[in-house]
Amino acid sequence: MSESEAAASELLRSKGLGPETLGTPSQNDDDSVKNVFLFIEKQGHHADPASVSDQYRTLRTWVENSLDMYKSELVSVLYPLLVHTFLDLVDQGHQEVAESFLRRYGSEFQDRGHRDELTALSTVSLPDHIAQNEAARLFRSNRYQLHFSAYGWQLLVSFLRDSGSFFFLRILNEYARVQIERLSTDPLADATRVTADGKATDGFVGASERASLLRIPVQWGLLRESDYIIEDTEVDIDRAYMERMARERDAEHADEESGVASGSGETPASAHPSAKGSGTEREKLTPARRGGSRASAAVSRGVDDIAKTTESGENLDVTQSISLPKIWRSSGMVPSLEDLRHRVRLSTAALPSVLFYTLLNSHGMVNAMDITNDGSLVMAGCDDSAIRLYKVREELSTESESEKQHKTSIPGEIPSLSASRVLIGHAGPVYAVHASADGRYCLSSSEDGTARLWDLHLGTDLVAYPCHQAPVWDVRFAPLGRYFVTASNDRTARLFCTDRVSPLRLFAGHMTDVDCISWHPNCNYIATGSSDRSCRLWDCRMGDCTRIFLGHRAPLTALAFSPNGRIIATADFDGTILLHDIAEGRVMTQCIEHTDAVWCLDFSRGDGALLASGSADNSIRLWSISSGELKPTASSDDPVPKSRSACVMRTKSTPVLGLRFSWRNLLLAGGSFRALS
């Protein structure tokens, strides 16, 4: 050991890092200010290109041979050390050594949810690239959160010190935030706690931020149907006549305004269409809607107060909600009384029927799929900037027999199940499509940074929303229409109203791309899933983050809320599904039977007794969501219980890209067939 290393070793001991003092409760009182148990001088401890590979290999071998009770926490340090060692080598100008190091040791993390990050880092070859690369900036400008038991941390520091790996100690001091968990003086108890809870929060989200958000109440209760549904009673027999009269009045007013505008040399501004059955005619018929604009303005200013957390089973006060549209029961936006009467009550003893749509000769071309609630229309967002519609019920087609006989196919069009239509408008690959509840409208998002609203009956786009300056990965209608939200590569999500092109809210807080989004059933909250392996819950009224859900080891790919609004399911690229309690902010159970990315999730209608998941492993799995199964038992060895799927339905070779439960609990799903090699 050199004199400088000996001096550093002595400095470590003087700071309380000796085996006799390491792990005492008096240390690490404020991990947000400094790293606990660790102080190492940066000068003189740079990566040695001749020996750094051997040092990392030695550390990895030691971790792999450690006791199982400590291995799970010790493994967590390998990835940040790999990344920062690579970046240090690049920063020092050792390009070839850095590329060889990343290629040799990065492959083992490809299947642990870090594939995208490593691919981005592989393009860094010069010191100037570090400041230009998104992944490199993320690691250099943020401390990587690590959780250890006291004894596990003692083992790691002692090994690095005794093996002379002061370079790794310097990385941990400069780029990591270490949280020591202590519950008792028993090393086994400490290690068990970190494996169950602390390990789930490794990454870039600090524990202090998450704990502060748990003190914010969440209104997860549901709206009363009387707050937004207008029942179709005998009084509404003349509604069609009233709507026709309203349209005629609108036309007269439009003609008058047009005449005034032409006389003054101005062109009247046309209002954007309001989606999903809450049109102008019905607004004129509903006196309760007249105050909606004032309520909407108040929400935009954010002047409403946050209500107390709603108790289980209690309805949400509509005065504490965003401005909602009034909807006729027969509009198709909500289940009709006929649908409610024929709805199947699902359970593990009564599993749903599945209607699966397979697209042939399209693998690698289809990025996203969605299906209308009645299963009559399948939408596919494609890589060639088009959206393809597949009418799977012949009676929905308005074409005559002669028109069908003389219809010619469009070159390059995917063969349809019945009759298809191609929607053209985007200027880049379409990454997400989502149909409104009544099946009349569709939203799409693209690499061109826009979201588009389409009228599926007319087959044309109504509005193009220039929402982001980066690719838009996902877009979702609100359950009751009028609003929608987008998720983008620019690390933000944005809330829109269909009748205006500027966003109402911008949700910023994720460290990397926002990949997936979902609406809470009461329309007051949205959830965003990100490549930073976290899910955030946002208040639409105030624009604030109210919860952070952690636990995933890979980028999130799908989200879904339970019908009662209390549970959120999150899925990731590794195939792991976690169920979180929204009010308490804890993980309730984990589902880990999928072997590949889970692309879609949905709860059954009604009581939400089943959760359906569709995966790239060519399967759909059904999970029982009963309250008894979600509560961890005292005798369980793992505080976070694991659930077993109630049913597995496999396709021949078709990754599941989209699924949805219909109003009557028929499971609709679809995917693009992948030819067997």
Side-chain angles (χ1 to χ4, degrees), residues 48-355:
D48 182 2
S51 61
V52 68
S53 180
D54 293 337
Q55 290 181 356
Y56 186 83
R57 184 178 65 253
T58 301
L59 173 62
R60 188 183 63 171
T61 302
W62 175 76
V63 169
E64 292 175 349
N65 294 331
S66 60
L67 296 177
D68 290 342
M69 71 177 71
Y70 305 115
K71 184 181 297 185
S72 61
E73 55 184 289
L74 294 174
V75 165
S76 66
V77 80
L78 294 178
Y79 181 64
L81 287 180
L82 168 78
V83 173
H84 286 291
T85 299
F86 166 76
L87 295 176
D88 268 41
L89 289 171
V90 172
D91 197 30
Q92 297 172 40
H94 305 297
Q95 177 182 350
E96 294 182 359
V97 177
E99 292 178 354
S100 175
F101 179 80
L102 186 65
R103 184 168 55 252
R104 180 176 182 180
Y105 297 107
S107 58
E108 63 183 272
F109 297 98
Q110 292 284 347
D111 297 329
R112 300 185 189 178
H114 303 296
R115 181 182 293 108
D116 294 339
E117 295 171 6
L118 292 173
T119 301
L121 290 171
S122 65
T123 63
V124 177
S125 57
L126 296 174
D128 293 342
H129 293 172
I130 296 178
Q132 301 170 4
N133 186 279
E134 183 71 23
R137 289 204 310 269
L138 175 66
F139 277 90
R140 287 308 208 193
S141 60
N142 298 276
R143 289 185 178 273
Y144 196 95
Q145 183 87 14
L146 294 171
H147 287 254
F148 279 87
S149 64
Y151 195 72
W153 179 245
Q154 174 186 346
L155 290 175
L156 176 63
V157 173
S158 298
F159 174 80
L160 295 178
R161 184 195 63 209
D162 295 341
S163 63
S165 302
F166 292 97
F167 167 67
F168 292 148
L169 286 173
R170 195 265 296 172
I171 288 179
L172 292 176
N173 179 68
E174 188 172 356
Y175 297 112
R177 176 186 293 135
V178 181
Q179 177 69 41
I180 303 300
E181 302 286 346
R182 296 186 194 83
L183 292 182
S184 67
T185 58
D186 182 5
L188 178 61
D190 284 352
T192 303
R193 165 62 186 270
V194 173
T195 301
D197 294 334
K199 184 74 166 92
T201 61
D202 288 351
F204 293 112
V205 178
S208 58
E209 179 184 2
R210 183 167 177 259
S212 64
L213 293 178
L214 290 175
R215 293 191 289 269
I216 301 176
V218 174
Q219 304 175 80
W220 57 269
L222 302 182
L223 296 163
R224 300 177 182 86
E225 287 193 347
S226 58
D227 293 332
Y228 60 91
I229 292 181
I230 303 175
E231 296 292 348
D232 298 307
T233 61
E234 294 181 358
V235 179
D236 302 322
I237 294 177
D238 294 331
R239 177 159 51 91
Y241 172 77
M242 296 172 66
E243 289 180 351
R244 182 171 61 83
M245 295 297 294
R247 286 195 297 270
E248 293 176 357
R249 287 196 301 271
D250 289 344
E252 293 175 358
H253 293 323
D255 292 338
E256 293 174 0
E257 293 175 0
S258 177
V260 173
S262 60
S264 60
E266 298 180 356
T267 302
S270 58
H272 295 295
S274 180
K276 305 175 72 172
S278 57
T280 305
E281 302 90 283
R282 289 175 182 169
E283 291 187 6
K284 291 180 178 293
L285 296 177
T286 311
R289 293 288 299 279
R290 294 173 184 169
S293 59
R294 292 192 296 272
S296 179
V299 172
S300 299
R301 292 192 301 269
V303 298
D304 293 333
D305 296 328
I306 295 290
K308 296 182 178 179
T309 304
T310 310
E311 298 297 332
S312 178
E314 185 177 336
N315 291 107
L316 181 68
D317 185 359
V318 71
T319 61
Q320 301 296 331
S321 174
I322 63 176
S323 177
L324 297 173
K326 288 285 186 177
I327 300 170
W328 295 98
R329 172 73 75 176
S330 61
S331 66
M333 288 297 302
V334 293
S336 64
L337 297 178
E338 188 73 11
D339 290 328
L340 295 176
R341 280 195 295 267
H342 289 86
R343 175 177 290 170
V344 179
R345 186 177 181 86
L346 301 179
S347 66
T348 54
L351 298 175
S353 299
V354 181
L355 179 58

Side-chain angles (χ1 to χ4, degrees), residues 331-526:
S331 66
M333 288 297 302
V334 293
S336 64
L337 297 178
E338 188 73 11
D339 290 328
L340 295 176
R341 280 195 295 267
H342 289 86
R343 175 177 290 170
V344 179
R345 186 177 181 86
L346 301 179
S347 66
T348 54
L351 298 175
S353 299
V354 181
L355 179 58
F356 194 91
Y357 302 103
T358 302
L359 302 182
L360 301 177
N361 306 321
S362 59
H363 181 67
M365 183 179 178
V366 176
N367 298 320
M369 287 184 65
D370 195 24
I371 308 166
T372 56
N373 273 320
D374 59 0
S376 63
L377 194 64
V378 178
M379 293 151 288
C382 301
D383 227 24
D384 61 355
S385 308
I387 301 168
R388 286 172 167 80
L389 307 181
Y390 302 91
K391 295 181 180 178
V392 294
R393 284 189 182 176
E394 200 63 38
E395 62 269 19
L396 293 182
S397 177
T398 58
E399 298 174 332
S400 65
E401 290 298 326
S402 60
E403 290 175 331
K404 293 179 181 178
Q405 293 175 1
H406 292 86
K407 183 178 179 180
T408 58
S409 60
I410 299 176
E413 183 178 4
I414 302 174
S416 65
L417 300 174
S418 175
S420 66
R421 173 176 284 168
V422 181
L423 306 181
I424 304 295
H426 283 293
V430 179
Y431 292 127
V433 289
H434 191 229
S436 60
D438 59 0
R440 179 176 178 182
Y441 298 97
C442 170
L443 280 170
S444 62
S445 63
S446 169
E447 186 184 51
D448 61 14
T450 67
R452 287 179 179 263
L453 176 66
W454 305 82
D455 188 313
L456 297 180
H457 292 179
L458 300 178
T460 183
D461 60 333
L462 304 176
V463 190
Y465 301 91
C467 43
H468 298 270
Q469 299 297 321
V472 184
W473 301 129
D474 201 4
V475 62
R476 285 290 181 270
F477 266 123
L480 299 179
R482 178 181 286 182
Y483 303 101
F484 69 91
V485 66
T486 59
S488 174
N489 173 253
D490 62 9
R491 300 180 292 180
T492 67
R494 305 190 185 202
L495 174 66
F496 288 82
C497 187
T498 53
D499 59 2
R500 62 185 68 182
V501 295
S502 57
L504 304 177
R505 290 282 184 271
L506 187 148
F507 306 107
H510 284 291
M511 295 293 184
T512 56
D513 297 27
V514 180
D515 298 314
C516 51
I517 44 182
S518 183
W519 280 88
H520 192 277
N522 66 19
C523 300
N524 264 12
Y525 298 90
I526 64 165

